[in-house]
Amino acid sequence: MKIKFLLMLTSIFFFLNACSKDDNEVAETLETPVANTAKDVNDNGFRAKWYYVSHSKSYLLDVSTTADFTSFVPNYNAKEVTDLNEVVTGLTGGTQYYYRVRAKNETEISGYSNVISVVTTGSSGIPEDPTFLKVKVNKLANPFFVGMAIKASQLTNGSPYDIILKNEFSSISAEYEMKMDQISTASGVYNWTVADKIVAYGNANNINVHGHALVWHNSVPQWLKDFSGTDAEFAAEVKKYITAVVTHYAGKVKSWDVVNEAVDDNGGAMRNTIFLQRMGPNYVKDCFQWARAAATAAGDTSLLLFYNDYATSTNTAKQDKVFSIVDDLKAANVIDGIGFQMHNTYLSPTKAQIETDLNRAVSKGLKIHVSELDIQVNPSNDISTFTNERRLAQKEKYKEMVKIYNALPAANKYALTIWGMKDNESWIPFNAELNHPGNDWPLLYDSNFAVKSSHTGFLEGLD
């Protein structure tokens, strides 16, 4: 009987010890919760939700106005909640918020969940900042040109385009009407009419004119595509064109994109264009040398020459190739700056990627032109209307881009150019390759010429 009693006590001891051990193991491996999309969103708050975590007894909820949770909404810094949702109140309408949760079991706390972003409905009651862009820029210690891509048809005196351009912008770039296929109609024959109108408008209104672009593979006139002469004669035709254009606009156009998009997207190679095929791998340098020589011969010694390309912040192989070309041009003393197109999205590139890209140009002593800025809000084609959340995300991305640019050394700043005025006239929504025809809102003004939150974001980036 005594032996049976001892065996019973031993069994109880091992059972309790096992239970204790199991409890400790559960506590040590408390799973990280998964947060759900907010529900019941209104002007003043929303319902935060998350999935159940086994063995958790409560949850710690954080709510912030910043994605990195550097500050917290009052009363929502690790607020303990025993349910799987919490109604968050006391918020501001039309404002971006973020929330995350941790699971808790006695003294054990899990890692942070995924972060959920939510924008309260309505508006904060604060209108968009109506300050004119160039007015605020010109008050900076180190101002720069604020540019806009334009079409000649928009330059009618008194039109909404004209009024906005004169009030807000200090530089213009022709969206397509100063490219080779628009000007060159045959060998040595040029149609200056439309390009002259753009340049005259800028000169008459004290607006800088940036020339875009002398050589681009997508603007080759048909007669040059069909050119049957030798490769040397083909190169001579390109030289003749560059010389004629730079000479015609000497003293009137202050800068040119000499070559546009010469680098392939897939790795560090030259784009396989008609210019590469017929003029060889040194064609970029040849074009820059011809442009420099033409400007010098015309007495235009202050003309700035740029190389222009896109997606170099996220494509490091392409970035490396661009800078290898730039190094060669700089060694030949024929380049002044780089145009970074920045057709970005509200998610990409990151701040660090943009800074790395631009700082490579800074380290080489080159001027920087953010030459074709727009910010897509629908890159995945997942929205059919311009949501409040995307509106504020776009505002923050414009603010980030302007802040990065404004922080550059004064000697490296040239211009920050927005690629189009109104959302409904941007190239972005109607580009088949981007797969969301009609559904994007990438610019600073809506279809009625009203300033958007992105415009306010630009202004805030100057603070």
Side-chain angles (χ1 to χ4, degrees), residues 131-184:
T131 304
F132 295 144
L133 300 178
K134 73 177 181 183
V135 171
K136 189 165 184 176
V137 169
N138 288 339
K139 291 179 180 178
L140 299 172
N142 300 303
F144 51 87
F145 290 125
V146 184
M148 171 59 66
I150 52 86
K151 302 177 181 71
S153 60
Q154 298 169 340
L155 305 181
T156 303
N157 189 48
S159 72
Y161 299 98
D162 171 62
I163 293 169
I164 290 174
L165 284 170
K166 289 173 180 175
N167 285 337
E168 299 250 45
F169 296 93
S170 52
S171 182
I172 53 175
S173 301
E175 189 169 2
Y176 62 86
E177 291 164 320
M178 291 179 69
K179 291 172 179 169
M180 187 186 289
D181 63 345
Q182 301 297 303
I183 292 176
S184 179

Side-chain angles (χ1 to χ4, degrees), residues 170-424:
S170 52
S171 182
I172 53 175
S173 301
E175 189 169 2
Y176 62 86
E177 291 164 320
M178 291 179 69
K179 291 172 179 169
M180 187 186 289
D181 63 345
Q182 301 297 303
I183 292 176
S184 179
T185 58
S187 176
V189 181
Y190 311 103
N191 181 357
W192 304 110
T193 304
V194 177
D196 278 356
K197 179 179 179 180
I198 292 169
V199 174
Y201 177 88
N203 291 174
N205 292 289
N206 196 31
I207 296 174
N208 179 71
V209 181
H210 174 70
H212 176 75
L214 292 174
V215 172
W216 185 40
H217 62 278
N218 279 337
S219 66
V220 183
Q222 192 62 46
W223 73 266
L224 190 58
K225 290 180 182 178
D226 298 336
F227 187 75
S228 60
T230 66
D231 289 348
E233 289 169 338
F234 180 95
E237 291 293 347
V238 176
K239 179 181 180 180
K240 183 194 298 182
Y241 172 78
I242 290 174
T243 302
V245 175
V246 171
T247 302
H248 182 79
Y249 291 116
K252 298 176 182 178
V253 172
K254 303 301 183 183
S255 55
W256 275 102
D257 290 328
V258 178
V259 178
N260 189 43
E261 301 175 4
V263 177
D264 192 77
D265 294 333
N266 299 317
M270 298 288 288
R271 187 185 295 275
N272 187 22
T273 69
I274 190 173
F275 301 107
L276 179 67
Q277 294 162 8
R278 305 214 58 179
M279 296 169 62
N282 289 323
Y283 87 87
V284 175
K285 184 191 288 186
D286 290 339
C287 292
F288 272 83
Q289 289 174 329
W290 296 332
R292 182 70 82 205
T296 301
D300 190 358
T301 56
S302 62
L303 181 67
L304 300 176
L305 304 182
F306 286 79
Y307 174 80
N308 193 57
D309 219 319
Y310 66 93
T312 53
S313 296
T314 53
N315 187 334
T316 54
K318 184 172 184 178
Q319 181 184 125
D320 289 342
K321 183 61 177 177
V322 165
F323 278 100
S324 71
I325 293 171
V326 167
D327 285 342
D328 190 36
L329 297 172
K330 194 169 189 305
N333 196 32
V334 291
I335 189 172
D336 300 292
I338 305 180
F340 297 86
Q341 292 186 20
M342 295 295 172
H343 295 296
N344 297 344
T345 79
Y346 76 104
L347 297 170
S348 177
T350 66
K351 179 174 183 286
Q353 287 173 324
I354 296 171
E355 288 176 332
T356 297
D357 202 8
L358 300 191
N359 284 337
R360 289 185 72 171
V362 170
S363 70
K364 299 177 186 301
L366 294 166
K367 291 191 178 297
I368 293 172
H369 183 191
V370 173
S371 56
E372 303 181 23
L373 178 62
D374 44 40
I375 297 179
Q376 300 172 48
V377 295
N378 194 23
S380 299
N381 198 26
D382 61 334
I383 57 174
S384 57
T385 59
F386 190 28
T387 66
N388 228 356
E389 181 177 353
R390 297 292 168 87
R391 174 181 68 83
L392 291 175
Q394 182 186 60
K395 174 185 176 181
E396 289 304 309
K397 206 64 177 173
Y398 265 103
K399 179 179 177 179
E400 176 184 85
M401 184 70 250
V402 175
K403 190 174 286 291
I404 291 170
Y405 190 83
N406 193 35
L408 294 173
N412 301 103
K413 294 180 187 177
Y414 180 60
L416 199 163
T417 296
I418 308 300
W419 205 245
M421 187 172 289
K422 297 197 300 171
D423 283 338
N424 62 318

Side-chain angles (χ1 to χ4, degrees), residues 32-38 48-51 99-101 113-116:
T32 299
V34 175
N36 272 338
T37 303
K49 300 186 68 178
W50 52 89
Y51 287 113
Y99 70 86
R100 64 187 183 187
V101 292
S113 72
N114 54 311
V115 175
I116 299 294

Side-chain angles (χ1 to χ4, degrees), residues 78-96:
K79 179 177 182 180
E80 191 158 5
V81 180
T82 56
D83 205 343
L84 296 179
N85 64 86
E86 173 74 1
V87 176
V88 180
T89 60
L91 305 183
T92 302
T95 304
Q96 180 102 49

